[in-house]
Structure formats: C-alpha cells, structure tokens
Amino acid sequence: MYNLPVTASERLVDAARELLWERGYVGASPRAIQQRAGAGQGSMYHHFSGKPGLALAAIRRTAEEMRAAAERALGGGGTAYARVEAYLRRERDVLRGCPVGRLTMDPDVIADEALRAPVDETLDWLRGRLAGILREGVVGGEFDRALDPERTAAAVLATVQGGYVLARASGSAAAFDAAVDGLLALLAGRRTA
C-alpha cells in the first residue's frame, strides 16, 4: 500500500480517514483501523489517546486536504465565474460522496464538539472563499449587482453536497453533473458580460 516508509501514526490516520468515509465513526472501530493500518493496539495507543483522538487527527487531515483541493481550483486564474466553475467541475469521486460532508450525517461526529469543529470550520471556510470570489465578480462588474455573494456561495456549497447525495442515491455521477450544470446556467444568467 505504501511505497515510501510511512510511520505507524500516519498509517493509522490514513486508515481512520478511509474508514470514517466508508463506515462512519461507529464503523471505524479501533480493531478495523489497526487491521487496515497494519498496526498493533499498542502502536495506536502510543500515538493517540484513543479512538476519539485518532478520529480527530483523521478528520483534521481530511478537512485540510479538502481545503487544499478546493483552493487549487478556486485560486487559479480567470474570471470569478471560471474559478467557481473550476471548483464545481474539479475531479471528485462523486459516488463515494464528500469525505467531509458525509461526516455531517454522522450522529457521533456531530454530537462531539471537538470532532465536529474541523467539519464546521472547513464548510465555513469554503462558503467564505466562494463568497469572496463572487464578491470580486460583482465589484468587478462580471456579475450584476443584484447577485448576493453570501447566498450564492451557500447555494454553490449546497449544490455540491446535494449533488453527492443525488449521485449516490441514483448510483450515477450524472445526477451530480446535472446539478452542477443547472447551477452554472443560473450563475451564467447573472453575468453582465
């Protein structure tokens, strides 16, 4: 699985990330994490205070990677519309769902303030980043002044998260693509040039 030497703590975090995405908090048992990581119980408890500590490290890593992937698309050159489009059309494993968004449906994550914090922070960051780009488009005259950057950013985020749900429900990425196409058509209708 690993080509370069990777520490046991890294293997444990990677295994926890995958299992949280696949099975949720309850399904990511310490035994399953240890088996997937090829690490023993002693190694897990040497590096982490227990399952909550390991889960928090895994959620933070997932959130960091999601922000980095979003920023690669949003931080590129071009118009505000082009940057939002790049974010919406970036490569994703749509049928697996969003690794951060899925955590919002996990009652154990939502009930734990520490585990929920990186999820909230990531979604808030993304909404804010999108709103900033859309605001640039309004101020620069690309979009008409009636476009509300904050509400539109919330709609972009909701479209992505809802698109994942629709794709998983139908078993087809086409549902995600249709949601993105619809949102981009609405957004294009607000362009002034």
Side-chain angles (χ1 to χ4, degrees):
M1 181 170 167
Y2 296 97
N3 293 329
L4 299 174
V6 177
T7 66
S9 65
E10 288 297 314
R11 290 194 319 269
L12 286 162
V13 169
D14 287 344
R17 289 178 63 214
E18 286 295 317
L19 287 168
L20 284 167
W21 194 3
E22 293 169 13
R23 303 179 188 175
Y25 187 81
V26 170
S29 69
R31 182 176 174 90
I33 294 168
Q34 292 161 19
Q35 285 178 335
R36 184 161 297 185
Q41 182 176 355
S43 182
M44 179 174 157
Y45 290 100
H46 170 74
H47 294 290
F48 302 97
S49 59
K51 179 180 172 180
L54 175 54
L56 180 59
I59 292 169
R60 283 182 178 152
R61 174 82 50 80
T62 297
E64 289 167 8
E65 287 188 9
M66 181 177 159
R67 284 192 303 269
E71 185 56 37
R72 282 190 296 276
L74 295 169
T79 64
Y81 179 90
R83 292 161 62 198
V84 171
E85 180 180 30
Y87 166 72
L88 288 169
R89 296 200 188 278
R90 77 176 177 80
E91 188 173 331
R92 294 175 165 84
D93 192 351
V94 174
L95 295 179
R96 282 189 76 193
C98 176
V100 172
R102 285 189 64 175
L103 294 170
T104 66
M105 296 180 280
D106 190 316
D108 295 295
V109 171
I110 295 305
D112 186 310
E113 189 175 320
L115 295 177
R116 188 180 68 244
V119 174
D120 289 341
E121 291 163 6
T122 299
L123 296 175
D124 287 345
W125 172 85
L126 186 52
R127 236 184 334 268
R129 185 71 172 103
L130 287 162
I133 290 168
L134 292 164
R135 192 173 305 105
E136 289 173 22
V138 170
V139 170
E142 179 184 349
F143 295 116
D144 67 57
R145 295 239 176 240
L147 183 128
D148 183 315
E150 285 73 24
R151 288 182 179 175
T152 305
V156 171
L157 186 56
T159 298
V160 169
Q161 293 303 317
Y164 281 121
V165 171
L166 295 172
R168 286 177 57 85
S170 69
S172 171
F176 183 93
D177 296 339
V180 166
D181 290 343
L183 177 64
L184 287 171
L186 291 170
L187 196 54
R190 303 303 300 265
R191 294 178 83 182
T192 58

